[in-house]
Amino acid sequence: MQILGVDIGGTGIKGAIVDTKTGELISERVRFETPHPATPQAVAETLKRLVTTLKYSGPIGCGFPARVLDGIVKTAANIDESWVEIPVNQMLSESLNCEVFVANDADVAGLCEAEIGAAKDSRGVVVFLTLGTGIGSSIFINGTPFLNTELGHLKFKGEEAEKYCSALVREKEELKWKEWGERLNSYLKYVAFILNPDLFVIGGGASKKFDKFKDKLSVGVPVVPAQHLNLAGIIGAAMYGEHCLHQHL
Ligand code: BGC
């Protein structure tokens, strides 16, 4: 199926039409800055611009940087607080006049990697972490997703982990890749202590630079970059949209 996948992040809103079987992008990738403040209306407007730019009509799968339970936004770490308790599927479907299916951004990116990416053939416990403006997480147990885990908000070194080692923190604090890699390594060890995973998959912007920090990783568990790198968010969003459409049938 060909469907628009959109990755709404704290910094950028990115989308492309995706062939969900192969994960291939069949349109250009379009990116707009996330509006500030990222209110529901402002995000809906940006989404409309994205759809118009791609001349797309049809359903949309969407990753969203918050806990989303049954189509309702429950948290707002990197988006405007007014999102909390908004029925996001309904709200965006009405403003865009098409079906929009929304889930947590890390959960959909993880779905891409679990089904057609770095964790495709993995059994046991896979922890997918997306490192961007925040840290998103997704867990798969023998291929079955465990949703909305929010491991980026674990308390670590006296603060929330995403304030210690997200990609944004690396930029803001002008950390060298190796320095940041050491921070990431200590956080991964902490997560490994709690969850005892068989594999970590690293997504988000940092996945493209994996070679720059991989030498600092000594977690005792394999750590690999997302096969679809930062595109896992868009591809997974499209795959999630397709899953939802099939459940409707
Ligand atoms: C949010 C998560 C999200 C992650 C990555 C965190 O701040 O709480 O829901 O997955 O950022 O965008």
Side-chain angles (χ1 to χ4, degrees), residues 21-61:
K21 202 164 171 205
T22 59
E24 209 182 315
L25 267 50
I26 55 159
S27 75
E28 59 168 324
R29 169 187 170 276
V30 174
R31 180 187 189 278
F32 292 107
E33 292 294 307
T34 304
H36 286 290
T39 58
Q41 289 70 22
V43 170
E45 284 308 316
T46 308
L47 215 51
K48 272 188 207 163
R49 278 170 66 202
L50 196 145
V51 170
T52 311
T53 307
L54 286 170
K55 299 187 176 60
Y56 177 79
S57 64
I60 303 174

Side-chain angles (χ1 to χ4, degrees), residues 95-156:
S95 16
L96 281 108
N97 208 15
C98 66
E99 284 186 291
V100 184
F101 303 103
V102 182
N104 175 264
D105 55 356
D107 283 335
V108 300
L111 173 73
C112 166
E113 288 301 308
E115 292 200 358
I116 57 168
K120 188 164 76 116
D121 299 314
S122 301
R123 308 305 294 163
V125 177
V126 176
V127 175
F128 173 85
L129 294 171
T130 171
L131 302 161
T133 311
I135 296 180
S137 60
S138 178
I139 300 176
F140 291 82
I141 304 165
N142 291 326
T144 302
F146 184 84
L147 301 174
N148 284 304
T149 47
E150 298 285 349
L151 299 180
H153 295 284
L154 279 175
K155 285 282 178 322
F156 185 62

Side-chain angles (χ1 to χ4, degrees), residues 1 3-4 56-62 88-90 92-94 96-102 241 244-246 248-249:
M1 175 178 193
I3 174 170
L4 175 59
Y56 177 79
S57 64
I60 303 174
C62 203
V88 59
N89 286 350
Q90 188 191 327
L92 290 178
S93 298
E94 283 171 10
L96 281 108
N97 208 15
C98 66
E99 284 186 291
V100 184
F101 303 103
V102 182
C244 293
L245 279 171
H246 285 160
H248 276 198
L249 295 175

Side-chain angles (χ1 to χ4, degrees), residues 86-247:
I86 292 277
V88 59
N89 286 350
Q90 188 191 327
M91 184 256 164
L92 290 178
S93 298
E94 283 171 10
S95 16
L96 281 108
N97 208 15
C98 66
E99 284 186 291
V100 184
F101 303 103
V102 182
N104 175 264
D105 55 356
D107 283 335
V108 300
L111 173 73
C112 166
E113 288 301 308
E115 292 200 358
I116 57 168
K120 188 164 76 116
D121 299 314
S122 301
R123 308 305 294 163
V125 177
V126 176
V127 175
F128 173 85
L129 294 171
T130 171
L131 302 161
T133 311
I135 296 180
S137 60
S138 178
I139 300 176
F140 291 82
I141 304 165
N142 291 326
T144 302
F146 184 84
L147 301 174
N148 284 304
T149 47
E150 298 285 349
L151 299 180
H153 295 284
L154 279 175
K155 285 282 178 322
F156 185 62
K157 308 254 184 198
E159 56 196 335
E160 290 190 79
E162 71 174 21
K163 302 271 184 283
Y164 178 71
C165 58
S166 69
L168 181 66
V169 167
R170 189 192 63 78
E171 282 167 28
K172 274 193 178 161
E173 297 188 20
E174 296 179 3
L175 299 173
K176 295 202 168 65
W177 281 105
K178 304 263 178 222
E179 290 170 310
W180 179 76
E182 280 165 13
R183 287 195 186 195
L184 179 64
N185 189 47
S186 56
Y187 168 61
L188 292 181
K189 280 184 171 165
Y190 183 55
V191 174
F193 172 72
I194 300 170
L195 293 172
N196 193 28
D198 298 283
L199 176 69
F200 278 109
V201 180
I202 303 295
S207 57
K208 288 183 279 184
K209 305 285 184 187
F210 192 74
D211 281 350
K212 292 192 187 283
F213 60 86
K214 68 173 186 206
D215 293 349
K216 292 289 163 195
L217 305 180
S218 58
V219 192
V221 173
V223 184
V224 297
Q227 186 180 319
H228 296 88
L229 304 173
N230 208 13
L231 289 179
I234 293 177
I235 300 168
M239 291 169 68
Y240 175 72
E242 186 193 21
H243 280 222
C244 293
L245 279 171
H246 285 160
Q247 278 166 17

